[in-house]
Amino acid sequence: MYQADQVTVQLNSKTILENLNAHFHSGELCAVLGPNGAGKTSLLKAMTGDLPISNGSIHFSDQPLHEWTIKEIAKVRGVLPQNSRLDFPFTVRDVIEMGRFPHQTTREYNYQIVRETAELCDCTDLLDRSFLQLSGGEQQRVQIARVMAQIWKHEMEPPGFLFLDEPVSSLDISHQYRIMQMLSEIADQKNIGVVCVIHNLNLAAQSVDRCLILDKGHLVAEGKPAHVFTEETISNVFDIDIWIQEHPENSNIPFIVPKIENVAYFEKSPSDVL
């Protein structure tokens, strides 16, 4: 388990996260949700040691995070930030194989894992292409395959974790759902813990096992989407009036519909606003 206890993060005297408790389990796909500035990225950075905490503690596998060596934790935890720049003309195969750098495994074994993770992320037909020649969405799928390859083992012990910040933001609607479904399946089948920041609430409702809703650095709600996606919570946190209906195919999945008056502002002409 990956756990944060009473974590506070301050930047330039501003409190970003305050006394926040969060836990993430292997075998689970968990979404971190909230409006812009809620502290979602800061939580991921704090959990992975990329952002110093002012108070509290973070443990991974019952061990304080600061006691893990970089080499050892890199074998069991992959991190994908919002922006992953790569300015060299490596092939897609080379980029995915970079994820194997922390491991002392054979080239043959690494290639096998590259093929497996590339297939999961729908990148197989891209393996011999230059990464720089790909579209933004294709590059994102390759980056997801890379961090998956980083923790991929045929014997997942101890269980690995993935922390992904907006992994589907640049993908088309088909690949958004396919990637989230793939993450759900590997979490279940490989006992991997997957934590991702996403903005599409309906995508989260259909894909994740559990979600955390943040607002102004505090944890507002936690649990299964069917339990925490209420009209009151979503309306208050995101400052938008909504209805929550049953999904047409599954009554256990909440379906969020914004009320039409929410878009009235954007229908005004500039002269009406200024």
Side-chain angles (χ1 to χ4, degrees), residues 86-90 92 129-135 139:
L86 182 62
D87 296 324
F88 297 96
F90 295 115
V92 167
R129 291 181 58 184
S130 168
F131 180 81
L132 298 182
Q133 294 177 352
L134 304 181
S135 69
Q139 290 184 353

Side-chain angles (χ1 to χ4, degrees), residues 71-131:
K71 181 178 180 180
E72 290 305 311
I73 202 168
K75 296 178 181 178
V76 291
R77 188 201 64 196
V79 180
L80 183 67
Q82 285 185 27
N83 299 306
S84 300
R85 287 182 57 86
L86 182 62
D87 296 324
F88 297 96
F90 295 115
T91 67
V92 167
R93 189 187 311 275
D94 291 336
V95 172
I96 299 175
E97 192 182 4
M98 289 178 186
R100 301 300 302 163
F101 181 75
H103 303 270
Q104 295 179 335
T105 47
T106 66
R107 196 73 180 269
E108 181 180 3
Y109 184 69
N110 291 344
Y111 275 176
Q112 180 182 354
I113 290 178
V114 168
R115 288 193 298 269
E116 290 175 3
T117 55
E119 182 176 358
L120 286 170
C121 295
D122 194 24
C123 300
T124 302
D125 60 339
L126 306 176
L127 284 173
D128 295 320
R129 291 181 58 184
S130 168
F131 180 81

Side-chain angles (χ1 to χ4, degrees), residues 213-248:
I213 301 179
L214 304 186
D215 190 24
K216 299 180 178 67
H218 294 88
L219 180 62
V220 174
E222 176 184 6
K224 295 182 179 297
H227 297 153
V228 300
F229 281 19
T230 66
E231 291 181 355
E232 180 180 8
T233 296
I234 300 301
S235 295
N236 289 339
V237 169
F238 291 91
D239 191 25
I240 185 172
D241 292 326
I242 59 150
W243 290 293
I244 293 186
Q245 303 176 351
E246 292 182 357
H247 190 277

Side-chain angles (χ1 to χ4, degrees), residues 152-163:
W152 199 258
K153 294 177 288 185
H154 293 139
E155 297 294 333
M156 298 298 290
E157 186 62 40
F161 268 80
L162 291 174
F163 287 86

